[in-house]
Amino acid sequence: MDVLKLLERGTIRIDDEARELTANKDFLYQLPHNHVWAVSYQDQTFWDDPEGKDFLKAHVEKMTQGVMIHRIFILSTDELASQKTVIEEQQTKGVECYILEENTLRQGGNVPPEDFVIYDDRYVRFAELTGVGPTTTLKHATLTCDPERVRQYQTKLNYFRTRSMNAKDVYEIHVSPQTPSPGPGAANESEIAPTPLVRKVPPKSP
């Protein structure tokens, strides 16, 4: 898929669930040169699937090229422990991971949880759940370079960031720190520093 060529129309819409699973890798390879901010929601089974593992390999390739990748996982309280291995693996590979507890988000106002990715503050991909297959969640996705839409999602991202907590603090993961990059639309670090609202989760019993 030639993403930039297709984006000359302004928007790419992917209504095929199977294609959506692989399109994210195309977007990651072709769009960002500096940083990626992703929000993972309703992806609990995706990362253990072949498509998810392949996607994570693409993350490593982009990070070796100097692209910084940050991801906020929106999880229910019950999912915090079950997703520990997935998040720990991404954090260890160099993805800067944050956790936002869904209850905290819902109590904080009327900004609903959502799955989206911002690439270099220029493009945004957002998705909606369409169903649950035998092994993974199914989604449709839209990618756009519309500046107003990108600004809307930058605002939502900053809202999520102020209510999230670094996964290293949640799970007490010990990894080499990644040099932070400015968040999209943030004037300074004090405006986007995550608020520690998520409690630490003990390891699951054997």
Side-chain angles (χ1 to χ4, degrees):
M1 178 193 295
D2 188 335
V3 177
L4 294 178
K5 181 69 174 178
L6 292 172
L7 267 179
E8 291 178 359
R9 306 172 189 172
T11 298
I12 298 174
R13 174 72 180 174
I14 300 177
D15 292 329
D16 181 278
E17 287 91 351
R19 185 68 187 93
E20 192 277 332
L21 288 172
T22 58
N24 293 322
K25 187 170 72 169
D26 293 334
F27 298 162
L28 180 62
Y29 275 140
Q30 298 181 46
L31 294 177
H33 298 283
N34 298 301
H35 58 82
V36 174
W37 273 95
V39 177
S40 179
Y41 179 57
Q42 298 173 323
D43 286 332
Q44 287 77 4
T45 58
F46 168 73
W47 298 107
D48 289 325
D49 293 337
E51 294 88 353
K53 293 183 181 298
D54 192 44
F55 189 37
L56 186 55
K57 290 180 182 178
H59 283 51
V60 175
E61 290 181 44
K62 291 299 290 188
M63 287 186 289
T64 60
Q65 298 169 14
V67 175
M68 301 191 68
I69 301 177
H70 311 256
R71 175 166 288 109
I72 298 173
F73 291 85
I74 300 180
L75 302 171
S76 69
T77 303
D78 292 339
E79 292 164 344
L80 289 173
S82 66
Q83 293 299 296
K84 180 180 184 296
T85 301
V86 167
I87 295 171
E88 185 176 33
E89 180 183 14
Q90 294 198 22
Q91 186 86 62
T92 302
K93 290 183 181 297
V95 180
E96 190 69 22
C97 296
Y98 299 85
I99 294 175
L100 174 56
E101 196 166 352
E102 192 170 354
N103 288 340
T104 299
L105 180 60
R106 295 190 184 280
Q107 292 168 5
N110 51 3
V111 179
E114 187 175 1
D115 184 285
F116 64 90
V117 185
I118 300 174
Y119 309 90
D120 282 354
D121 299 342
R122 297 181 60 193
Y123 314 95
V124 62
R125 169 261 183 204
F126 50 95
E128 65 273 7
L129 185 71
T130 60
V132 179
T135 61
T136 191
T137 51
L138 305 175
K139 297 180 180 181
H140 290 171
T142 301
L143 176 72
T144 183
C145 56
D146 177 66
E148 180 57 32
R149 210 65 187 276
V150 173
R151 281 193 293 270
Q152 290 174 1
Y153 277 93
Q154 286 174 330
T155 299
K156 177 171 269 196
L157 172 65
N158 287 327
Y159 181 86
F160 287 174
R161 286 202 67 193
T162 59
R163 286 153 180 81
S164 65
M165 183 176 180
N166 196 295
K168 287 182 287 189
D169 297 321
V170 177
Y171 294 124
E172 298 181 332
I173 300 169
H174 180 69
V175 297
S176 300
Q178 186 184 28
T179 304
S181 64
N188 55 60
E189 188 65 24
S190 63
E191 293 181 1
I192 60 175
T195 302
L197 297 177
V198 183
R199 56 182 173 76
K200 294 179 181 177
V201 179
K204 291 191 295 183
S205 301

